[in-house]
Amino acid sequence: MAYENEKLLEEKVFKDPVHRYIHVRDRVVWDVINTREFQRLRRIRQLGTTYLVFHGAEHSRFQHSLGVYEIVRRIIDDGFSGRAEWDEGQRLVTLCAALLHDLGHGPFSHAFEKVFNLDHEQFTQQILLEQTEVNEVLSRVSPDFPQKVADVIDKTYPDKLVVSLISSQIDADRMDYLQRDAYYTGVSYGHFDMERILRVMRPTEEQVVIKHSGMHAVEHYIMSRYQMYWQVYFHPVSRSAEVILMKILHRARYLYETGYAFTQEPKHFISFFKKEFELKEYIALDESVLLMYFQLWMEENDPILADLCDRFVNRRLFQYAEFDPASQYMKFGELVKLFQEAGLDPEYYLVTDSSSDLPYDFYRPGEENERVPIYLQMKNGDLRELSRMSDVVDAISGKRRTDHKIYYPEDRLMDGNVLHEKILELLQG
Ligand code: NI
C-alpha cells in the first residue's frame, strides 16, 4: 500500500481536555508527530508570558497543533467527505498543514522574533523544506509533498478551500486556540458552540462557508475572540513580562557586542547576535533554554542584565500607565531626561508598547492583508457576507482598536526622593 494511504492497525488516541480525544489513524500523521521538530513544540508555551498572569496558561504549542489537526480531521471526515465540492485527494495535505501550521514558532515567540528581527512563518517553511525529520517523513509521501504542505500554510496553495480551513476568519486554528486558551486561563469568554459550527460548515470551491441557520453560533465565536483579545492576549501584565524579556535579550546582545566578559557565556545566542545562525541552532532553542540563561544571568556583574533577569524569573514586573507615544512625544522626551537624571537607563527602564486587533473584517480589496470575510449560505445557495446579515458583527467589524501603554519599574521610584516623585507624577498624570 502507498505510504500516503497507510493506516495504523490500531487507532492512536491522545487524551485532550478540550476535544476529549484526538484520533490518529493515518501512518503519515503519526510519523510526523514523532519527529524531533514536532516534539519540540512541547517545550514552547502557546501563550508565551501569559502564565505570569493566568497561572494555568502553561499549555504548549504541541497540544494546540494536535487540536487544530483534530478539528480539521472532523470537518473533513465527518462533514465534507462524500460531498461533490470536496476533493478527497486533498485530505492528507490538509491534515498535515493543520498539524504543522505553527511548527516554526520559537521560544516566547513575539519577543524573540522582535529582538532578532525573525519571522516564525519563515522558519515553518524552512523546517518543512530543508533537511529535517519532518521533511524526511513528508517526502516519503511524494517528493513534492513537503512543498504542498508549505504552500497551504503560506496561503499560496491553489485549492482555496483547503487554505481557508487552516487560515481564514473562521478556521480550525482560531477555533482551537480560543477554546484551549479559555480552558487553560480559566476565563469564561473564549467558549462558543464549536459542535454547532462544525455541523453548519459547507465546502465551496473558494472557501468554507456557513449555512445560514448557523449565524448565531458564528456571532458567538466572533464575540469570544473579541473578548479574548482584550481580556487575555493583550493583558497589560503579560505585556509587561514580554517587555522585560525583550530588554533582557537587548541587553545581552549589547553586552556581547561591546565585549563584556560574561560569567555565563551566551553560547546558544551568539549566532543570533551575529545574525548568522543555522536552522538547527534555531530548532535547539526552547523556553527551558531561555529560562536557564535568565536564572544564571541573575548572577552576572552587569547590574542591568542581572536586575532584568531577576525581574522576569521572580515576577517583579514593570508597572504600566496609559501612554500614546505618537501624541505624547514631548512628555516622553521629558521622561527620558528625568530617568537619566535618576540614574535609570531609559533604554531599558522606560518602554512604550502598543497592541491592536481587528475583531472581524469585511472584504476591502487592495488593503493590507485582505481578509477573506465569512459568508453565510442562504437557502437558495446565494452567499451573503456575515456583517450584512448580523447587527452584532456589523457593530465591531472593520474597527481596529489600539491600546498604548508605557512600562517602568515603579518599585525603583517609591523612596520619596523628589526626582522620583516628579517622575511618578508625570507618568501617572
Ligand atoms: Ni495556531
Side-chain angles (χ1 to χ4, degrees), residues 46 64 68 101-102 173 177:
Q46 175 70 11
H64 162 64
V68 176
H101 76 283
D102 277 341
D173 183 26
Y177 74 63

Side-chain angles (χ1 to χ4, degrees), residues 66-265:
L66 286 180
V68 176
Y69 152 82
E70 177 64 9
I71 294 174
V72 169
R73 191 195 64 76
R74 288 184 55 192
I75 295 173
I76 295 177
D77 293 353
D78 305 345
F80 288 9
S81 184
R83 284 182 179 264
E85 302 88 341
W86 172 249
D87 171 5
E88 202 58 30
Q90 304 295 339
R91 181 176 175 276
L92 191 63
V93 73
T94 316
L95 292 180
C96 289
L99 195 60
L100 298 170
H101 76 283
D102 277 341
L103 189 62
H105 271 286
F108 301 108
S109 274
H110 302 291
F112 195 84
E113 286 178 25
K114 262 197 202 166
V115 174
F116 295 112
N117 198 16
L118 306 171
D119 174 10
H120 68 263
E121 291 182 1
Q122 197 197 316
F123 287 112
T124 301
Q125 298 287 315
Q126 278 181 260
I127 299 173
L128 290 171
L129 301 174
E130 293 180 15
Q131 292 265 301
T132 58
E133 289 187 8
V134 167
N135 177 271
E136 198 265 314
V137 170
L138 299 178
S139 297
R140 261 188 268 156
V141 173
S142 70
D144 62 347
F145 193 67
Q147 186 65 55
K148 285 185 178 172
V149 175
D151 288 347
V152 174
I153 296 171
D154 198 34
K155 307 186 200 94
T156 52
Y157 195 65
D159 189 324
K160 297 298 164 214
L161 172 60
V162 168
V163 172
S164 76
L165 288 173
I166 318 287
S167 45
S168 65
Q169 296 197 74
I170 185 154
D171 60 19
D173 183 26
R174 292 178 181 199
M175 286 200 276
D176 183 81
Y177 74 63
L178 289 175
Q179 297 179 86
R180 190 168 302 280
D181 297 343
Y183 176 89
Y184 282 98
T185 52
V187 303
S188 56
Y189 323 104
H191 302 286
F192 59 92
D193 191 352
M194 184 180 77
E195 297 302 317
R196 175 92 183 117
I197 292 180
L198 296 187
R199 293 181 67 88
V200 292
M201 281 184 145
R202 296 286 179 270
T204 69
E205 211 170 286
E206 285 299 304
Q207 62 169 323
V208 54
V209 299
I210 306 290
K211 195 176 149 193
H212 174 251
S213 61
M215 182 176 86
H216 298 294
V218 177
E219 285 177 337
H220 190 188
Y221 152 85
I222 302 241
M223 295 314 285
S224 310
R225 181 170 179 280
Y226 174 77
Q227 293 189 315
M228 282 298 280
Y229 266 81
W230 294 102
Q231 304 293 337
V232 176
Y233 302 139
F234 295 157
H235 196 289
V237 178
S238 67
R239 280 161 62 195
S240 171
E242 205 167 273
V243 158
I244 292 174
L245 207 150
M246 282 194 274
K247 291 299 170 186
I248 291 174
L249 298 172
H250 273 149
R251 186 65 180 175
R253 180 173 61 191
Y254 169 81
L255 292 174
Y256 177 79
E257 285 170 351
T258 52
Y260 168 83
F262 280 90
T263 318
Q264 289 300 331
E265 237 351 74

Side-chain angles (χ1 to χ4, degrees), residues 183-372:
Y183 176 89
Y184 282 98
T185 52
V187 303
S188 56
Y189 323 104
H191 302 286
F192 59 92
D193 191 352
M194 184 180 77
E195 297 302 317
R196 175 92 183 117
I197 292 180
L198 296 187
R199 293 181 67 88
V200 292
M201 281 184 145
R202 296 286 179 270
T204 69
E205 211 170 286
E206 285 299 304
Q207 62 169 323
V208 54
V209 299
I210 306 290
K211 195 176 149 193
H212 174 251
S213 61
M215 182 176 86
H216 298 294
V218 177
E219 285 177 337
H220 190 188
Y221 152 85
I222 302 241
M223 295 314 285
S224 310
R225 181 170 179 280
Y226 174 77
Q227 293 189 315
M228 282 298 280
Y229 266 81
W230 294 102
Q231 304 293 337
V232 176
Y233 302 139
F234 295 157
H235 196 289
V237 178
S238 67
R239 280 161 62 195
S240 171
E242 205 167 273
V243 158
I244 292 174
L245 207 150
M246 282 194 274
K247 291 299 170 186
I248 291 174
L249 298 172
H250 273 149
R251 186 65 180 175
R253 180 173 61 191
Y254 169 81
L255 292 174
Y256 177 79
E257 285 170 351
T258 52
Y260 168 83
F262 280 90
T263 318
Q264 289 300 331
E265 237 351 74
K267 218 178 83 193
H268 288 79
F269 298 106
I270 290 175
S271 51
F272 292 92
F273 293 154
K274 290 180 168 169
K275 298 193 183 93
E276 46 191 44
F277 55 89
E278 288 173 34
L279 183 60
K280 66 175 199 293
E281 294 174 297
Y282 182 76
I283 295 171
L285 290 174
D286 60 35
E287 291 180 357
S288 333
V289 173
L290 260 68
L291 288 171
M292 185 201 68
Y293 276 100
F294 298 170
Q295 290 267 2
L296 297 172
W297 286 344
M298 281 168 28
E299 310 295 328
E300 281 291 340
N301 292 321
D302 178 70
I304 293 180
L305 184 63
D307 176 60
L308 292 173
C309 287
D310 178 56
R311 284 178 182 277
F312 191 86
V313 172
N314 296 312
R315 201 190 178 281
R316 296 190 301 109
L317 305 178
F318 288 171
Q319 185 54 270
Y320 59 90
E322 302 299 320
F323 192 88
D324 182 359
S327 62
Q328 296 177 286
Y329 58 93
M330 295 280 282
K331 185 167 156 183
F332 188 71
E334 204 177 325
L335 279 165
V336 166
K337 255 198 324 216
L338 291 172
F339 265 66
Q340 280 162 344
E341 268 178 58
L344 283 167
D345 190 339
E347 180 68 31
Y348 299 98
Y349 290 104
L350 187 67
V351 190
T352 57
D353 176 67
S354 303
S355 299
S356 79
D357 179 50
L358 202 51
Y360 170 75
D361 207 7
F362 41 85
Y363 186 51
R364 286 182 290 183
E367 293 206 9
E368 43 151 350
N369 48 42
E370 300 167 8
R371 299 180 183 209
V372 180

